[in-house]
Amino acid sequence: YESRQQHVTPHIGTQAKPAAVSREYIDGRVAASPGYKYDAEALTVIDRLAATAVSDEKKMLIEFFDNKLNVAGVVIGAVAESLHLGYEETLNYVLSLTAGDYDATLLAWKEKVAHDLVRPTTWIQEEMSDLEFTTYAGPYKGVQTIKGKN
């Protein structure tokens, strides 16, 4: 099984209604261009792939943070416990957190479309497609050597 992420530019960043802030606030936020130097960025990604292959801690963190619901549950639980929140207070926190995440998604997509750049990993897939890299392939897959196109 192979998959490949394709770049899309949905209208959500400019058309969707924000949940917690105004449209004017979203439209007024502008990020500076990241000014990628793709050769250097690709080498950084390759170094990180190699470091992940030999680090059980990095592998564990990848597995944990790959499941967004688990991450949200841990964050919500930690906040509720540390602040001694009751049920309704916890629900208010969750609602606020979700609204903030949603608005951040709108802003991120607006900026993604405005800058029209690919990620360094996409650049590797296109420009270094035949090079091989050793990295962690995921749970129950262990360390594998993969081609840049994958």
Side-chain angles (χ1 to χ4, degrees):
Y1 171 76
E2 244 180 68
S3 68
R4 182 177 172 123
Q5 181 179 354
Q6 297 296 317
H7 181 73
V8 296
T9 54
H11 65 280
I12 188 171
T14 57
Q15 301 299 312
K17 181 180 178 186
V21 299
S22 69
R23 170 50 57 190
E24 292 75 24
Y25 180 83
I26 296 280
D27 292 342
R29 306 289 297 181
V30 178
S33 174
Y36 286 138
K37 293 177 176 49
Y38 282 107
D39 289 331
E41 294 290 337
L43 293 176
T44 299
V45 170
I46 292 165
D47 288 344
R48 288 177 181 158
L49 290 172
T52 300
V54 296
S55 170
D56 289 337
E57 180 181 6
K58 289 181 186 301
K59 294 173 195 173
M60 181 270 309
L61 290 170
I62 287 169
E63 289 180 28
F64 175 76
F65 285 104
D66 191 45
N67 186 323
K68 306 305 183 247
L69 290 177
N70 282 347
V71 174
V74 168
V75 170
I76 292 164
V79 169
E81 183 179 337
S82 67
L83 297 176
H84 308 289
L85 300 180
Y87 180 72
E88 288 181 12
E89 293 168 317
T90 301
L91 290 179
N92 284 332
Y93 171 71
V94 170
L95 179 63
S96 299
L97 181 66
T98 303
D101 285 347
Y102 176 78
D103 287 354
T105 299
L106 300 186
L107 182 56
W109 274 107
K110 178 182 80 75
E111 291 301 302
K112 182 177 177 109
V113 171
H115 293 290
D116 193 28
L117 298 171
V118 298
R119 295 177 181 171
T121 51
T122 302
W123 190 88
I124 289 172
Q125 290 171 341
E126 293 174 1
E127 301 298 323
M128 305 171 87
S129 61
D130 290 329
L131 291 179
E132 292 187 341
F133 309 98
T134 301
T135 190
Y136 175 59
Y140 311 109
K141 296 179 183 175
V143 174
Q144 294 184 7
T145 300
I146 61 171
K147 286 196 173 221
K149 66 181 175 185
N150 298 325

